[in-house]
Amino acid sequence: MADHCHSHGCGHGHSHGGGGADGGGHGHSHGPSDASDAENIKGQEFNLYLRIDMDSLTCLNEEEDGSGRTVFRAYEDRLDRTKFVSSDVDEELLFNIPFSGTVKLKGLLIIGGEMETHPNKMRLFKNRPNMSFEDAGAAPDQEIDVHVDQEGFIEYKPIVARFNDVSHLSIHFPSNHGNSEKTEIYYIGLKGEFSEAHRHEVTITAYESRANPADHKTNALNQMNQMIS
């Protein structure tokens, strides 16, 4: 069993402070409050986990049942290393993610394990519920290279025109950076716009179940005619 007590030494050197020299000399200070504000904004953006039908979400090839669901959580909890999914018999993982309405998907964050277990690619499929690994052999709607990221700094941009009416998203992770048989994912963040589902079928069912007086009247006349004849 792999040791899951990973360090957080992420050496990819991304700078997100936004406080570079601007030559303007206006003397604005960018302190901890700015970092906190940025964190809050990110948290509000990456909140589509609240719109996932968690009871119906599945993760294929997860080592521990139900662990795939734990990676979809609040942005501020993204660094919680106690919640993760690890692949079982090989390096592949496949998430089937149903939403409670429709989504315009605008961004993804992926936090994986160390270099050797961190996914190196994700393949996105739109509106193909209950996909299997065999189904995932089809051409995806988009394929994206995934970099080693243990802090959630790197945002991946889907082609919005292709993912503007998503009721179900499947994410296939076919491989990892270490060519190992173990892939680990700690957090998946989803950003986008959400619309409630339209439940036309409820209206139609209620209408059809309503008694039609005209039908009863016709049946009564038919019965009378039969009796007379």
Side-chain angles (χ1 to χ4, degrees):
M1 185 68 67
D3 180 7
H4 298 298
C5 298
H6 298 308
S7 66
H8 291 266
C10 185
H12 45 64
H14 286 280
S15 173
H16 296 267
D22 54 20
H26 44 66
H28 286 298
S29 63
H30 296 275
S33 62
D34 292 296
S36 177
D37 289 344
E39 183 92 354
N40 290 336
I41 292 171
K42 278 277 195 179
Q44 292 169 10
E45 289 179 338
F46 284 89
N47 65 354
L48 282 183
Y49 74 96
L50 295 170
R51 305 300 188 174
I52 295 173
D53 179 0
M54 287 293 184
D55 290 338
S56 301
L57 185 150
T58 60
C59 178
L60 276 61
N61 197 37
E62 58 185 4
E63 187 174 54
E64 180 180 341
D65 288 346
S67 58
R69 297 174 185 172
T70 68
V71 305
F72 298 93
R73 55 183 185 268
Y75 175 80
E76 54 267 28
D77 297 329
R78 69 193 183 283
L79 301 181
D80 183 351
R81 306 295 283 183
T82 66
K83 297 176 182 178
F84 64 94
V85 60
S86 180
S87 64
D88 190 11
V89 299
D90 59 21
E91 71 278 14
E92 293 188 71
L93 287 168
L94 175 60
F95 293 87
N96 284 308
I97 309 161
F99 295 103
S100 56
T102 57
V103 167
K104 179 184 289 186
L105 187 64
K106 293 186 172 181
L108 301 97
L109 300 175
I110 307 294
I111 296 179
E114 299 293 343
M115 168 73 78
E116 66 274 8
T117 62
H118 198 295
N120 66 349
K121 186 180 298 183
M122 63 176 158
R123 306 170 71 245
L124 307 179
F125 297 86
K126 168 190 171 182
N127 297 342
R128 304 190 206 181
N130 304 315
M131 288 187 68
S132 65
F133 283 112
E134 183 177 353
D135 297 328
D141 292 291
Q142 187 174 354
E143 184 171 297
I144 301 174
D145 290 329
V146 177
H147 304 283
V148 175
D149 179 8
Q150 294 172 334
E151 305 292 334
F153 283 149
I154 304 172
E155 181 175 334
Y156 302 96
K157 299 287 190 180
I159 301 170
V160 177
R162 294 184 187 174
F163 295 91
N164 61 0
D165 188 22
V166 182
S167 58
H168 187 284
L169 177 69
S170 295
I171 309 178
H172 178 218
F173 295 95
S175 52
N176 53 50
H177 283 276
N179 294 320
S180 68
E181 293 189 356
K182 185 72 67 178
T183 296
E184 293 177 343
I185 297 174
Y186 286 77
Y187 172 78
I188 298 178
L190 302 174
K191 179 176 79 171
E193 299 175 9
F194 175 80
S195 300
E196 295 287 350
H198 299 295
R199 300 191 177 277
H200 295 300
E201 68 277 9
V202 176
T203 306
I204 294 169
T205 303
Y207 175 80
E208 289 178 346
S209 64
R210 194 179 302 141
N212 187 341
D215 291 341
H216 292 294
K217 187 182 294 184
T218 303
N219 291 337
L221 288 172
N222 289 338
Q223 290 176 358
M224 288 178 63
N225 289 335
Q226 289 173 3
M227 292 173 63
I228 293 170
S229 60

mmCIF file of all heavy atoms in Angstrom, residues 114-130:
data_model
loop_
_atom_site.group_PDB
_atom_site.id
_atom_site.type_symbol
_atom_site.label_atom_id
_atom_site.label_comp_id
_atom_site.label_asym_id
_atom_site.label_seq_id
_atom_site.Cartn_x
_atom_site.Cartn_y
_atom_site.Cartn_z
ATOM 1 N N GLU A 114 1.828 12.740 -5.585
ATOM 2 C CA GLU A 114 3.193 13.071 -5.980
ATOM 3 C C GLU A 114 3.363 12.807 -7.474
ATOM 4 O O GLU A 114 2.482 12.269 -8.141
ATOM 5 C CB GLU A 114 4.183 12.238 -5.162
ATOM 6 C CG GLU A 114 4.107 12.459 -3.661
ATOM 7 C CD GLU A 114 4.558 13.853 -3.238
ATOM 8 O OE1 GLU A 114 5.227 14.527 -4.053
ATOM 9 O OE2 GLU A 114 4.242 14.260 -2.113
ATOM 10 N N MET A 115 4.529 13.168 -7.983
ATOM 11 C CA MET A 115 4.803 13.079 -9.420
ATOM 12 C C MET A 115 4.395 11.736 -10.013
ATOM 13 O O MET A 115 3.706 11.672 -11.032
ATOM 14 C CB MET A 115 6.299 13.336 -9.676
ATOM 15 C CG MET A 115 6.765 12.998 -11.079
ATOM 16 S SD MET A 115 6.200 14.167 -12.327
ATOM 17 C CE MET A 115 7.343 15.511 -12.052
ATOM 18 N N GLU A 116 4.760 10.637 -9.343
ATOM 19 C CA GLU A 116 4.553 9.324 -9.964
ATOM 20 C C GLU A 116 3.089 8.901 -9.989
ATOM 21 O O GLU A 116 2.703 8.036 -10.772
ATOM 22 C CB GLU A 116 5.391 8.259 -9.241
ATOM 23 C CG GLU A 116 4.990 7.966 -7.809
ATOM 24 C CD GLU A 116 5.625 8.909 -6.797
ATOM 25 O OE1 GLU A 116 6.261 9.901 -7.219
ATOM 26 O OE2 GLU A 116 5.506 8.634 -5.585
ATOM 27 N N THR A 117 2.257 9.491 -9.123
ATOM 28 C CA THR A 117 0.836 9.092 -9.085
ATOM 29 C C THR A 117 -0.102 10.196 -9.578
ATOM 30 O O THR A 117 -1.314 9.996 -9.607
ATOM 31 C CB THR A 117 0.423 8.700 -7.658
ATOM 32 O OG1 THR A 117 0.576 9.838 -6.788
ATOM 33 C CG2 THR A 117 1.262 7.539 -7.136
ATOM 34 N N HIS A 118 0.443 11.323 -9.955
ATOM 35 C CA HIS A 118 -0.379 12.453 -10.396
ATOM 36 C C HIS A 118 -0.834 12.233 -11.832
ATOM 37 O O HIS A 118 -0.029 11.930 -12.711
ATOM 38 C CB HIS A 118 0.425 13.754 -10.311
ATOM 39 C CG HIS A 118 -0.407 14.994 -10.329
ATOM 40 N ND1 HIS A 118 -1.162 15.385 -11.413
ATOM 41 C CD2 HIS A 118 -0.599 15.953 -9.389
ATOM 42 C CE1 HIS A 118 -1.772 16.519 -11.143
ATOM 43 N NE2 HIS A 118 -1.461 16.888 -9.914
ATOM 44 N N PRO A 119 -2.142 12.377 -12.116
ATOM 45 C CA PRO A 119 -2.602 12.190 -13.506
ATOM 46 C C PRO A 119 -1.913 13.177 -14.441
ATOM 47 O O PRO A 119 -1.623 14.311 -14.056
ATOM 48 C CB PRO A 119 -4.108 12.445 -13.434
ATOM 49 C CG PRO A 119 -4.322 13.214 -12.167
ATOM 50 C CD PRO A 119 -3.257 12.767 -11.222
ATOM 51 N N ASN A 120 -1.658 12.733 -15.655
ATOM 52 C CA ASN A 120 -0.995 13.605 -16.638
ATOM 53 C C ASN A 120 -1.915 13.984 -17.794
ATOM 54 O O ASN A 120 -1.497 14.697 -18.707
ATOM 55 C CB ASN A 120 0.272 12.935 -17.176
ATOM 56 C CG ASN A 120 -0.014 11.686 -17.994
ATOM 57 O OD1 ASN A 120 -1.142 11.193 -18.009
ATOM 58 N ND2 ASN A 120 0.998 11.159 -18.652
ATOM 59 N N LYS A 121 -3.154 13.530 -17.736
ATOM 60 C CA LYS A 121 -4.080 13.804 -18.841
ATOM 61 C C LYS A 121 -5.508 13.593 -18.352
ATOM 62 O O LYS A 121 -5.761 12.740 -17.503
ATOM 63 C CB LYS A 121 -3.780 12.848 -20.004
ATOM 64 C CG LYS A 121 -4.564 13.098 -21.276
ATOM 65 C CD LYS A 121 -4.175 12.069 -22.340
ATOM 66 C CE LYS A 121 -2.698 12.179 -22.714
ATOM 67 N NZ LYS A 121 -2.329 11.232 -23.797
ATOM 68 N N MET A 122 -6.430 14.415 -18.862
ATOM 69 C CA MET A 122 -7.844 14.147 -18.610
ATOM 70 C C MET A 122 -8.614 14.296 -19.912
ATOM 71 O O MET A 122 -8.303 15.135 -20.752
ATOM 72 C CB MET A 122 -8.418 15.071 -17.527
ATOM 73 C CG MET A 122 -8.427 16.537 -17.841
ATOM 74 S SD MET A 122 -9.255 17.472 -16.506
ATOM 75 C CE MET A 122 -8.563 19.115 -16.773
ATOM 76 N N ARG A 123 -9.610 13.450 -20.051
ATOM 77 C CA ARG A 123 -10.427 13.405 -21.255
ATOM 78 C C ARG A 123 -11.869 13.682 -20.834
ATOM 79 O O ARG A 123 -12.425 12.987 -19.980
ATOM 80 C CB ARG A 123 -10.277 12.052 -21.931
ATOM 81 C CG ARG A 123 -8.809 11.697 -22.194
ATOM 82 C CD ARG A 123 -8.606 10.257 -22.647
ATOM 83 N NE ARG A 123 -9.103 10.043 -23.996
ATOM 84 C CZ ARG A 123 -10.119 9.255 -24.313
ATOM 85 N NH1 ARG A 123 -10.777 8.606 -23.357
ATOM 86 N NH2 ARG A 123 -10.481 9.110 -25.572
ATOM 87 N N LEU A 124 -12.475 14.704 -21.406
ATOM 88 C CA LEU A 124 -13.797 15.160 -20.999
ATOM 89 C C LEU A 124 -14.864 14.696 -21.985
ATOM 90 O O LEU A 124 -14.700 14.825 -23.203
ATOM 91 C CB LEU A 124 -13.823 16.690 -20.912
ATOM 92 C CG LEU A 124 -12.745 17.355 -20.048
ATOM 93 C CD1 LEU A 124 -12.889 18.877 -20.093
ATOM 94 C CD2 LEU A 124 -12.805 16.848 -18.616
ATOM 95 N N PHE A 125 -15.954 14.176 -21.441
ATOM 96 C CA PHE A 125 -17.088 13.732 -22.239
ATOM 97 C C PHE A 125 -18.343 14.427 -21.721
ATOM 98 O O PHE A 125 -18.591 14.454 -20.521
ATOM 99 C CB PHE A 125 -17.276 12.220 -22.139
ATOM 100 C CG PHE A 125 -16.134 11.408 -22.667
ATOM 101 C CD1 PHE A 125 -15.045 11.102 -21.859
ATOM 102 C CD2 PHE A 125 -16.145 10.933 -23.976
ATOM 103 C CE1 PHE A 125 -13.991 10.334 -22.340
ATOM 104 C CE2 PHE A 125 -15.102 10.166 -24.457
ATOM 105 C CZ PHE A 125 -14.015 9.869 -23.645
ATOM 106 N N LYS A 126 -19.133 14.945 -22.633
ATOM 107 C CA LYS A 126 -20.358 15.665 -22.283
ATOM 108 C C LYS A 126 -21.589 14.795 -22.525
ATOM 109 O O LYS A 126 -21.732 14.189 -23.586
ATOM 110 C CB LYS A 126 -20.447 16.955 -23.114
ATOM 111 C CG LYS A 126 -21.797 17.652 -23.070
ATOM 112 C CD LYS A 126 -21.861 18.767 -24.103
ATOM 113 C CE LYS A 126 -23.267 19.327 -24.222
ATOM 114 N NZ LYS A 126 -23.369 20.379 -25.265
ATOM 115 N N ASN A 127 -22.465 14.756 -21.517
ATOM 116 C CA ASN A 127 -23.801 14.143 -21.628
ATOM 117 C C ASN A 127 -23.757 12.709 -22.147
ATOM 118 O O ASN A 127 -24.506 12.325 -23.056
ATOM 119 C CB ASN A 127 -24.707 15.008 -22.511
ATOM 120 C CG ASN A 127 -24.947 16.384 -21.907
ATOM 121 O OD1 ASN A 127 -24.734 16.596 -20.720
ATOM 122 N ND2 ASN A 127 -25.376 17.329 -22.728
ATOM 123 N N ARG A 128 -22.882 11.900 -21.553
ATOM 124 C CA ARG A 128 -22.839 10.458 -21.857
ATOM 125 C C ARG A 128 -22.903 9.698 -20.535
ATOM 126 O O ARG A 128 -21.882 9.219 -20.029
ATOM 127 C CB ARG A 128 -21.565 10.094 -22.615
ATOM 128 C CG ARG A 128 -21.372 10.911 -23.902
ATOM 129 C CD ARG A 128 -20.256 10.361 -24.742
ATOM 130 N NE ARG A 128 -19.656 11.382 -25.583
ATOM 131 C CZ ARG A 128 -18.666 11.166 -26.433
ATOM 132 N NH1 ARG A 128 -18.160 9.959 -26.576
ATOM 133 N NH2 ARG A 128 -18.164 12.158 -27.149
ATOM 134 N N PRO A 129 -24.103 9.594 -19.944
ATOM 135 C CA PRO A 129 -24.240 8.989 -18.607
ATOM 136 C C PRO A 129 -23.751 7.550 -18.548
ATOM 137 O O PRO A 129 -23.779 6.825 -19.538
ATOM 138 C CB PRO A 129 -25.759 9.058 -18.353
ATOM 139 C CG PRO A 129 -26.258 10.123 -19.275
ATOM 140 C CD PRO A 129 -25.387 10.048 -20.491
ATOM 141 N N ASN A 130 -23.295 7.182 -17.346
ATOM 142 C CA ASN A 130 -22.934 5.792 -17.031
ATOM 143 C C ASN A 130 -21.880 5.224 -17.973
ATOM 144 O O ASN A 130 -21.976 4.067 -18.409
ATOM 145 C CB ASN A 130 -24.184 4.906 -17.049
ATOM 146 C CG ASN A 130 -25.265 5.413 -16.113
ATOM 147 O OD1 ASN A 130 -24.986 5.781 -14.976
ATOM 148 N ND2 ASN A 130 -26.492 5.464 -16.591
#
